[in-house]
Amino acid sequence: MSRAGLRFCSAILAVTVFLVDVLTPLEGAVAVLYVVAILLAAKTNRRDDTIVAAAGCIVLTISAYLLSHDLESIASPLLRLLVSLAAIGITTLLALQNHAATQRLAAQARLLNLSHDMIFARDRGGVITFWNKTAEQAYGWSADEALGQLADKLLRSTYPDRREIIEAGLLDTGRWEGHVQQRTKDGAVLTVDARWALQHDRLGKPVGVLETHTDVTDRVAAHGALVQSEQRYRRMFDASRIGVVEEDWSEVRAALQSLDTAGTGLHDHLVQHPDFVRNARRLAKITDVNPALQKMAGANGASAFIENVDLLLGENDRSFLGALIAFAEREPFYEGETEIVRFDGRKVPVLFTITFPSGPDGDRNVLAFVVDIAERKQAQDALLAAQAELAHAARVATLGELTASIAHEVNQPLAAIVTSGEAGLRWLRREVPNLDEVAATIVQIVAAGRRASEIVARIRTFLKKAPAQQDSIDIAEIIEDAALLVARELANDDVVLTSETEHGLGPIRGDRIQLQQVLVNLLVNAGQAMSGQPGSRTVKLRASTVDRERLAITVQDSGPGVRPEDMPRLFDPFFTTKPGGMGMGLAICRTTVEAHGGQLSVQSTPGAGTTFRLTLPYAQEHQEHPGP
């Protein structure tokens, strides 16, 4: 009923009681019925309504007494008047106290409704007696639907322990906290952080429980995902066959930030101050290693590695400098090749990748992934040995193709010897021998003989199965020798060879015979590619500098070029476009060039010829002291 209705009913009841008291001969405390009118007014929850109703009932009671009795009679009627006034006063006082208590409870309820936590109260039997707004929103039941329901049944609560044990602890300490799983009206499962407080009456007897719940579903899920992620990472860390090192580079970062480069670049400064690099190695702390790296280093456990990276790197390691620069420039990772030192002193060649995570704690979680390549190195050495065998076989096979050129080369100095000898005899047989001419002829004979000897020695060295030499080589001499060896072969195919060497090219280091064989193969291939082709046939051989560290040699022909579909396989072993070819020449050429630290590439346009480009590094002494 509305407040206006309650006021109206209260007023009608008061007037009715007044009329009954005045107009009827009833001899009782009829005025006591005014209490009902006051209680109706009190139900409006307004203090003023209660006071007005009480005042009106008092006025009506006194008025009825005065109209029904004279002032001289003070016996029984006056006593009934006093009883009625006392009842009205007591009822009014109790109603006002109840109103004040209700207001306090309402204020408390409003405060509880402002909370972001789900709050409800239940009695000792588990029946819900209070249900705040957040509980309505979170669980889906309104207060009207929740009040009077069993909390555990409504929410289908699941506790971390038996319910009896939890209740016993609550009675013992007055409080309980823990994680509880509950279901909403829609069936969703919530994980809540529950806090219970036991409520007592004035005599200290437990009468109910106030429960405060905080939804931690997302937090628990995130924590579970984090734990699962850490467990998965640990399984991967321990089970990986790749060595993994976890390092703390925070002190390295601090040292780099305090570094004064005095205006020079970081790379140049670190190269000029190797002591800083060595100190930085000591500052990079190892915090953990996985079993694969422990086995690689010959250690019995991770505790042996709780040192710095000096424990793993040798004295001559150069990879840390590059990693330090990448770390300083905040690169995400750095890759390289180095050797780690086992605990027994042996060195193991490895490939590594260091990752530098971003974020505030990234410097403390640097990860290095290490792969043992000792077996690959052995296989590579075996491959190089096999390729050396094939190169020797190819040189022997090439001998048959170059026989005419060799004969021509040797025949030229022999013919010069014979011609000079005959001319010398004629000068001697004259009536007056011309000794000066004879001496000049003998000088020519000696020079021709030496040239023949050099040609024979060069051919023997070319065919000799000897280990690769690392000599300082003038590239112009290599080009000249190779051109002489193939001149006859190219001449037979009407191929014109032109060579051009840039002035001032520095020396290179390598095996003279192997590099000579590379150029011979490329020149012979160029000549054979143009064999039978109408029109001009030219091969251009050119050597020039690329930069301070490299030179380039190009072999360009005017032949038909290489078909596009053959380009990807041109350097594959046993692939050939020549009838009867072995398919090993270009494969051996590329391997030989790469073994010398260079590269061999090809460009070709069908119908416009082919260009092979060979780049080789200058000798170290030339890089450090380049010419003017």
Side-chain angles (χ1 to χ4, degrees):
M1 185 179 295
S2 66
R3 288 178 177 175
L6 290 172
R7 294 190 189 106
F8 178 75
C9 291
S10 175
I12 292 298
L13 180 60
V15 172
T16 301
V17 172
F18 172 76
L19 294 176
V20 170
D21 191 17
V22 172
L23 300 177
T24 62
L26 296 175
E27 294 293 336
V30 178
V32 174
L33 295 176
Y34 286 119
V35 170
V36 179
I38 294 172
L39 293 177
L40 285 174
K43 288 182 67 66
T44 63
N45 291 324
R46 294 181 65 88
R47 179 183 176 86
D48 294 342
D49 289 345
T50 304
I51 294 174
V52 169
C57 290
I58 291 173
V59 170
L60 291 176
T61 301
I62 295 175
S63 298
Y65 175 79
L66 293 176
L67 292 175
S68 301
H69 307 88
D70 54 30
L71 295 176
E72 296 179 356
S73 177
I74 58 172
S76 178
L78 181 59
L79 181 61
R80 290 194 299 271
L81 171 65
L82 295 177
V83 170
S84 298
L85 291 176
I88 292 171
I90 292 171
T91 302
T92 302
L93 179 62
L94 293 176
L96 292 176
Q97 289 179 345
N98 181 69
H99 178 269
T102 302
Q103 289 295 104
R104 286 195 299 270
L105 290 175
Q108 293 174 358
R110 285 194 296 272
L111 290 176
L112 294 178
N113 281 328
L114 292 176
S115 174
H116 294 291
D117 293 332
M118 297 86 80
I119 301 175
F120 65 87
R122 58 179 173 82
D123 60 19
R124 290 298 313 281
V127 177
I128 298 173
T129 59
F130 174 77
W131 188 261
N132 78 336
K133 293 293 184 182
T134 305
E136 290 184 346
Q137 297 169 0
Y139 292 120
W141 287 285
S142 66
D144 292 338
E145 293 173 323
L147 295 178
Q149 299 287 334
L150 288 173
D152 285 353
K153 182 178 179 181
L154 179 69
L155 299 173
R156 288 177 282 178
S157 303
T158 302
Y159 297 97
D161 204 347
R162 287 201 318 237
R163 190 72 165 75
E164 299 81 5
I165 297 176
I166 294 175
E167 284 290 337
L170 177 65
L171 291 174
D172 185 37
T173 63
R175 292 185 176 276
W176 179 82
E177 294 185 6
H179 282 175
V180 179
Q181 282 191 341
Q182 297 174 329
R183 290 186 179 272
T184 66
K185 187 176 182 180
D186 296 333
V189 178
L190 298 182
T191 301
V192 298
D193 185 8
R195 296 173 296 282
W196 295 0
L198 194 62
Q199 295 177 308
H200 302 83
D201 60 12
R202 294 180 180 177
L203 299 177
K205 181 180 178 180
V207 294
V209 178
L210 181 67
E211 295 194 19
T212 303
H213 295 174
T214 303
D215 187 358
V216 294
T217 306
D218 294 339
R219 189 193 314 167
V220 171
H223 176 72
L226 177 62
V227 171
Q228 185 178 9
S229 175
E230 290 181 349
Q231 291 175 345
R232 183 167 59 249
Y233 166 75
R234 176 52 62 176
R235 288 195 300 269
M236 295 171 59
F237 185 82
D238 292 337
S240 175
R241 296 182 62 186
I242 298 176
V244 184
V245 187
E246 188 173 3
E247 301 174 4
D248 181 355
W249 283 42
S250 56
E251 294 185 22
V252 179
R253 177 73 69 190
L256 286 169
Q257 289 175 346
S258 62
L259 183 64
D260 183 10
T261 60
T264 61
L266 178 64
H267 180 274
D268 294 338
H269 182 83
L270 294 179
V271 170
Q272 296 169 8
H273 297 81
D275 291 342
F276 180 87
V277 179
R278 284 193 293 269
N279 182 60
R281 279 173 47 162
R282 301 187 190 98
L283 296 177
K285 306 297 183 183
I286 296 176
T287 57
D288 199 3
V289 296
N290 74 333
L293 189 68
Q294 296 172 28
K295 180 179 179 181
M296 195 182 303
N300 295 324
S303 59
F305 288 90
I306 308 305
E307 295 285 344
N308 49 56
V309 296
D310 262 350
L311 187 68
L312 289 177
L313 299 179
E315 288 293 329
N316 298 324
D317 173 76
R318 297 183 179 180
S319 63
F320 187 81
L321 174 61
L324 186 61
I325 294 173
F327 177 71
E329 296 177 350
R330 299 189 181 276
E331 296 288 340
F333 64 90
Y334 178 76
E335 297 178 340
E337 182 176 342
T338 187
E339 291 181 334
I340 65 171
V341 181
R342 287 173 50 92
F343 278 77
D344 58 9
R346 291 191 294 115
K347 295 182 178 180
V348 180
V350 295
L351 287 176
F352 69 89
T353 298
I354 303 180
T355 62
F356 304 113
S358 58
D361 294 329
D363 295 347
R364 300 182 183 274
N365 296 288
V366 174
L367 292 177
F369 301 90
V370 184
V371 180
D372 184 349
I373 58 171
E375 294 183 358
R376 194 174 84 174
K377 283 282 188 181
Q378 294 173 358
Q380 186 177 7
D381 292 342
L383 177 62
L384 290 176
Q387 288 174 341
E389 294 284 346
L390 288 173
H392 176 257
R395 287 198 295 270
V396 174
T398 305
L399 178 62
E401 299 178 3
L402 300 179
T403 300
S405 296
I406 294 171
H408 176 72
E409 289 293 324
V410 175
N411 186 61
Q412 285 183 346
L414 291 178
I417 292 172
V418 172
T419 302
S420 298
E422 291 176 347
L425 288 176
R426 284 196 298 273
W427 290 113
L428 286 174
R429 289 172 180 169
R430 296 185 66 175
E431 294 181 359
V432 180
N434 191 335
L435 297 181
D436 292 335
E437 292 291 343
V438 172
T441 302
I442 294 174
V443 169
Q444 293 176 357
I445 292 173
V446 171
R450 286 179 177 172
R451 183 184 173 197
S453 176
E454 290 174 354
I455 292 174
V456 173
R458 185 167 63 245
I459 294 172
R460 290 185 62 188
T461 303
F462 177 72
L463 296 174
K464 183 180 179 182
K465 183 181 179 181
Q469 301 295 320
Q470 292 294 320
D471 300 323
S472 180
I473 303 171
D474 184 354
I475 198 65
E477 295 179 1
I478 298 290
I479 291 176
E480 182 181 356
D481 291 345
L484 289 174
L485 283 171
V486 300
R488 181 64 180 177
E489 175 78 9
L490 297 180
N492 288 339
D493 289 328
D494 295 329
V495 176
V496 177
L497 173 63
T498 61
S499 62
E500 178 184 349
T501 303
E502 184 178 303
H503 178 69
L505 291 178
I508 62 174
R509 294 197 67 84
D511 189 300
R512 179 187 301 272
I513 302 304
Q514 287 187 1
L515 293 177
Q516 185 183 88
Q517 174 66 13
V518 170
L519 291 181
V520 167
N521 274 337
L522 295 178
L523 292 171
V524 170
N525 283 349
Q528 291 177 348
M530 295 182 290
S531 179
Q533 174 183 287
S536 63
R537 305 172 190 174
T538 59
V539 176
K540 296 180 181 179
L541 179 59
R542 186 176 186 273
S544 60
T545 186
V546 177
D547 50 37
R548 293 179 57 185
E549 298 180 354
R550 297 175 300 161
L551 61 82
I553 304 172
T554 57
V555 178
Q556 181 181 4
D557 64 53
S558 60
V562 181
R563 295 183 301 178
E565 59 268 24
D566 292 338
M567 288 290 289
R569 303 176 56 197
L570 200 60
F571 293 99
D572 290 350
F574 305 110
F575 175 78
T576 181
T577 58
K578 297 184 295 184
M582 294 178 61
M584 292 301 300
L586 290 178
I588 293 174
C589 287
R590 170 171 277 188
T591 302
T592 301
V593 172
E594 291 177 350
H596 283 74
Q599 292 181 338
L600 179 61
S601 59
V602 60
Q603 293 180 342
S604 180
T605 303
T610 303
T611 301
F612 285 88
R613 190 171 189 267
L614 184 158
T615 60
L616 291 169
Y618 284 119
Q620 188 67 30
E621 56 269 20
H622 176 76
Q623 296 181 23
E624 295 176 354
H625 306 287

